[in-house]
């Protein structure tokens, strides 16, 4: 399985980078995982609705440029469906079973996802009703993907 994580913004925090490196190493036994960072759009703290839409559109265009037509896209979205770890494992296993070996998880910027990215999405996934920093979300997502593979294989993993 080829998994790509397309994320807006550059990761700066050392502790997050270390965690991501650790989970990428663990995941290498199960899948090829690639992280693609697309630049975030510089914007002032307060934006009008049209300025916000413009920022999301520009970031969305950058995201979509990194996704091939044959890729199954899972967006991380507050309006998405919440799954247990076991259900996420089942989703990944179903995708592999039905020949969807190229999967992209998309993490939007601080303002969220553009309408175009949402339209391209095959599945919208929510981790919580809470909002997380998109940099931290990368680490959480990698941990859950790793946990999913451990569940699929029936291998032990802490609960």
């Amino acid at each position: 399985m080829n998994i790509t994580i397309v994320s807006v913004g550059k990761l700066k925090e050392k502790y997050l980078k270390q965690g991501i490196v650790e989970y990428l190493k663990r995941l290498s036994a199960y899948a090829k995982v690639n992280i693609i960072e697309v630049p975030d759009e510089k914007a002032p703290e307060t934006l009008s609705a049209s300025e916000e839409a413009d920022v999301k559109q520009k970031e969305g265009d950058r995201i979509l440029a990194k996704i091939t037509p044959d890729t199954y896209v899972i967006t991380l979205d507050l309006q998405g469906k919440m799954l247990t770890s076991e259900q996420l494992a089942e989703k990944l296993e179903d995708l592999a079973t039905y020949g969807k070996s190229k999967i992209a998880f998309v993490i939007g910027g601080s303002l969220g996802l553009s309408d175009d990215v949402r339209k391209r999405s095959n599945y919208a996934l929510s981790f919580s009703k809470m909002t997380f920093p998109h940099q931290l979300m990368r680490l959480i997502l990698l941990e859950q993907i790793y946990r999913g593979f451990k569940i699929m294989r029936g291998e032990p993993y802490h609960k």
Side-chain angles (χ1 to χ4, degrees), residues 130-142:
M130 292 183 268
T131 303
F132 296 102
H134 53 282
Q135 293 91 347
L136 178 60
M137 203 59 231
R138 277 190 225 182
L139 180 58
I140 295 169
L141 174 61
L142 283 168

Side-chain angles (χ1 to χ4, degrees), residues 51-66:
E51 288 170 325
E52 188 175 306
D54 189 45
V55 167
K56 287 197 289 190
Q57 184 63 47
K58 287 177 182 173
E59 290 175 349
D61 291 345
R62 292 178 191 139
I63 291 168
L64 293 172
K66 302 295 181 186

Side-chain angles (χ1 to χ4, degrees), residues 73-119:
V73 177
I74 300 174
T75 48
L76 273 58
D77 191 337
L78 283 171
Q79 284 78 49
K81 183 173 181 177
M82 283 191 238
L83 302 177
T84 64
S85 296
E86 292 78 12
Q87 288 170 322
L88 179 60
E90 190 177 313
K91 177 81 177 161
L92 292 172
E93 194 165 38
D94 286 349
L95 289 171
T97 301
Y98 295 106
K100 301 289 185 189
S101 61
K102 286 177 72 175
I103 300 169
F105 287 89
V106 175
I107 303 171
S110 58
L111 298 176
L113 299 167
S114 71
D115 289 341
D116 289 343
V117 172
R118 281 194 169 108
K119 286 177 191 152

Side-chain angles (χ1 to χ4, degrees), residues 37-57:
E37 292 178 338
V38 298
D40 53 348
E41 190 65 22
K42 302 298 177 227
E45 285 295 314
T46 55
L47 298 170
S48 69
S50 66
E51 288 170 325
E52 188 175 306
D54 189 45
V55 167
K56 287 197 289 190
Q57 184 63 47

